[in-house]
Amino acid sequence: MQDRNFDDLADKFSQNIYGTRKGQVRQAILWDELDALLPTLPEGALSVLDAGGGVGQISCGLAARGHQVLLCDLSAEMLKLAEAHAHTEGVSHNMQFKQISAQQVGEHLDRPVDLVLFHAVLEWVAEPEAVLRALWHTLKPGGVLSLMFYNAHALTFRTLQLGNFGYLRANMTKRKKRTLSPDFPRDPQDVNRWLSDAGFEIEQRAGIRVFCDYMKPPPPGVVKSVEEIIEMERRYCRQEPFLSLGRYIHVTARKPR
């Protein structure tokens, strides 16, 4: 097993993840979570590490608010897209880009950071516990990890819903390797344990896309706007049992002071 490098799928990743309704819902809930945690950090410009930052959608938003962001990724192609996006958004002056893994990033930091973003990466790495421990060391005391990961329970539920029992009997082993379907979907209980073992304190959890991935096409003449879907996602994403059905789970985890 090895960590996934997206050089071969960078353009497809950008289009499929952010250029869709699912991407809009994902970003809306992520920003809700960030807007809740940012006031708990020191005032002024924060130091932010976006580990495995991809094309930098969230990073650019933070840079636009005046925060200083280091975006790292294994993929040179992803970094090119991220730099181009930062240039388009006019925030390049608040961003740096380095082609390094999340495990190595601590070796390249001058000092610990206030906030670490680790979004949709944990499901692609072969040794998740080691990565979380490495990220713990990059944070200042009182700093926060914003972690979003692909939920194994949601994948199981969706597979059952589709009647794809053969896939379940094969332990959901992927047949195709060049795909955006994550290599290692994560059990939330495992992730919570890994975070606690690394020294983090979990403060908040939210499901991302707790129902919209399961929606059937509406009847003729009934159109559900993205805004309506986001409204309902916001209503249910922090309450059980809906939280645990989220295609992704977001966890706010703090390094104790």
Side-chain angles (χ1 to χ4, degrees), residues 130-202:
V131 177
L132 293 175
R133 287 194 299 270
L135 294 178
W136 189 89
H137 287 291
T138 69
L139 278 166
K140 297 176 182 178
V144 170
L145 169 67
S146 168
L147 171 67
M148 182 182 75
F149 63 91
Y150 193 75
N151 179 11
H153 297 329
L155 177 60
T156 300
F157 183 68
R158 181 59 174 159
T159 305
L160 286 167
Q161 187 184 42
L162 294 172
N164 194 355
F165 303 147
Y167 184 48
L168 289 169
R169 293 187 185 106
N171 296 318
M172 296 189 292
T173 302
K174 291 165 55 177
R175 293 180 181 179
K176 297 180 180 179
K177 297 302 180 183
R178 296 185 71 256
T179 171
L180 295 180
S181 178
D183 290 337
F184 311 112
R186 300 303 181 189
D187 184 318
Q189 289 187 332
D190 289 339
V191 176
N192 291 343
R193 185 179 72 254
W194 298 335
L195 288 168
S196 297
D197 289 348
F200 287 102
E201 296 177 348
I202 296 173

Side-chain angles (χ1 to χ4, degrees), residues 67-79:
H67 303 302
Q68 300 296 312
V69 182
L70 168 62
L71 187 154
C72 71
D73 203 286
L74 273 178
S75 168
E77 295 301 316
M78 281 292 192
L79 288 175

